[in-house]
Amino acid sequence: MRAPARVMTSAAAAAVLIGCVSGPAASKGADETRVLVFSKTAGFRHDSIPEGIAAVRELGAAGGFTVDATEDAGAFTTGNLARYDAVVFLSTTGDVLDAAQQGAFERYIKRGGGYVGIHAAADTEYDWAFYGGLAGAYFQSHPAIQPATVDVEDRAHPATSGLPSTWNRTDEWYNYRSNPRDHAHVLASLDESSYTGGTMSGDHPIAWCQEYRGGRAFYTGGGHTKESYADPAFRQHLLGGIQYAVGDAQADCRPENGYRPLFDGTAESLSAWRQAGPGSFSLSEDGTLTSSGGLGMLWYAGSGSGSDPGPGFGSYSLKLDWQVAGDDNSGVFVGFPASDDPWSAVNNGYEIQIDATDAPDRTTGAVYSFQSADIKKRDRALNPPGEWNTYEIRVEGERLRVWLNGVKINDFTNTDPVRSLRDGHIGLQNHGADDQVSFRDVRIKELPVKGD
């Protein structure tokens, strides 16, 4: 889904753009996505900037968006910025915009514009608080260029969904003046034990995203070296960040803290789960669970052993990532008693459906057969088959709320005296032979119990 089309600009504004320095500016069609790469420097200048511009142009040519590039801050006018779905700050340094240009960019973001910061974008505009909040953190220092291990924390976001859980690469690794984790959603972090010179006490975000003052923002600390822009994995990382910023891909970019894994992609974590009924789930090398056969359910039995499962959950936020290949059917069950009969979950719990083509009360985001999702919000938030989505399912008392890629799409309260959400288990449905649905990174945060 694309961001709303932006208005036409004047011919004069177009004259500042590298690659379109003559002739009138083209209007932006309703289905056209346009990105501006800005690489002005007022401090250190990275010699990888030309490679970065070329890489973004190539990504645009392959990915269906138009790329303009400039080092002229005069491009930052209200009219000209309105042409673009996102602005990429490519290793900018120092004070690059004056007060009027800053004001135009603030208005652009507040009206829904996108921001992508690459590497030294964090070494930019230290005296402009709005920009610091948008970028997420300011540069502090860096050690020598060296290999390091990147821990990918979010494997549903388009910038990181194609990466392994640990990503080994060579770059110049920034330390930051503050940790963005409390206000941004961390996508990947550095393992400080894998290299020398990290100064962030073991919690070292290196890529993150957020919704900021009405706009979308993505930042990656990679991209110092020329070689980065020829690396297919880094290019895919950039492409996914741009797709998020322009609104072509949806993701949950709310801050995420305090969750613990129930399934982290390892066989060890899967040992706490049980298969109820027919069918099964297969675990791939990249840590993805995929359903086959059915009608059954994989449910979390927890720390119990043998026939004695662990306790259920009463008040919690459950997050998980899921993907369908096509018109597939699955769901997430909550609030059911421990049982190896999958029909016990159907009859005693509630299912948050995954199936975008069924009736409103039985489609993606619905509390199956009880309450439809807000379909308009659901449709805007939903990524298509082949791409990852993230559910947050929040249970507090008898209230059940559902977020899809960070957008609240359902708010349901149980009034059935036979059912209760106050104590129950969690399960993933394997619906049938024709339905292959994949899951990643099931995690939970237990919440304080509220009074009636």
Side-chain angles (χ1 to χ4, degrees), residues 89 109 121 127 181 187 201 213 237 310 325 344 399-400 405 424:
F89 278 62
I109 292 296
D127 297 324
R181 191 178 293 276
L187 302 174
S201 302
R213 306 283 184 91
H237 177 57
S344 176
R399 186 181 185 188
L400 187 161
N405 295 323

Side-chain angles (χ1 to χ4, degrees), residues 143-386:
I145 296 170
Q146 59 189 299
T149 297
V150 178
D151 292 324
V152 178
E153 298 188 22
D154 183 334
R155 300 184 63 209
H157 193 283
T160 45
S161 62
L163 297 175
S165 57
T166 55
W167 183 25
N168 299 307
R169 62 183 309 270
T170 297
D171 215 320
E172 181 183 76
W173 303 112
Y174 276 7
N175 299 306
Y176 300 95
R177 297 185 181 186
S178 61
N179 191 319
R181 191 178 293 276
D182 287 341
H183 58 267
H185 180 71
V186 175
L187 302 174
S189 57
L190 290 173
D191 178 356
E192 289 193 333
S193 70
S194 69
Y195 73 107
T196 59
T199 64
M200 298 186 69
S201 302
D203 184 13
H204 195 140
I206 198 63
W208 53 81
C209 63
Q210 61 176 320
E211 294 186 5
Y212 186 78
R213 306 283 184 91
R216 295 179 174 212
F218 165 79
Y219 171 83
T220 179
H224 173 86
T225 65
K226 293 180 180 181
E227 292 78 8
S228 294
Y229 299 99
D231 175 11
F234 187 74
R235 287 166 67 101
Q236 183 61 42
H237 177 57
L238 284 186
L239 177 60
I242 293 170
Q243 289 172 329
Y244 167 74
V246 301
D248 279 351
Q250 310 305 312
D252 188 349
C253 283
R254 297 173 297 162
E256 183 174 316
N257 295 295
Y259 288 80
R260 63 180 176 90
L262 299 182
F263 167 69
D264 62 7
T266 65
E268 290 78 9
S269 66
L270 196 56
S271 66
W273 296 71
R274 293 185 187 178
Q275 179 67 35
S280 63
F281 284 81
S282 60
L283 177 62
S284 66
E285 290 184 0
D286 71 353
T288 299
L289 275 178
T290 301
S291 67
S292 62
L295 184 80
M297 181 184 65
L298 185 69
W299 65 284
Y300 183 75
S303 59
S305 60
S307 60
D308 183 21
F313 299 101
S315 185
Y316 57 90
S317 168
L318 175 72
K319 282 193 172 185
L320 52 88
D321 307 329
W322 58 268
Q323 181 188 91
V324 295
D327 184 13
D328 297 301
N329 186 308
S330 184
V332 182
F333 279 95
V334 297
F336 59 91
S339 175
D340 287 324
D341 176 6
W343 289 100
S344 176
V346 173
N347 295 327
N348 298 287
Y350 287 104
E351 180 187 6
I352 295 80
Q353 179 73 340
I354 298 172
D355 180 358
T357 61
D358 209 332
D361 68 341
R362 300 179 179 212
T363 187
T364 296
V367 180
Y368 187 84
S369 80
F370 287 91
Q371 182 166 293
S372 171
D374 183 317
I375 297 298
K376 289 184 178 179
K377 288 184 177 179
R378 191 281 310 273
D379 286 350
R380 288 195 296 268
L382 181 65
N383 285 321

Side-chain angles (χ1 to χ4, degrees), residues 397-409:
E398 298 294 352
R399 186 181 185 188
L400 187 161
R401 286 174 285 175
V402 181
W403 282 258
L404 173 64
N405 295 323
V407 177
K408 189 169 77 170
I409 60 169

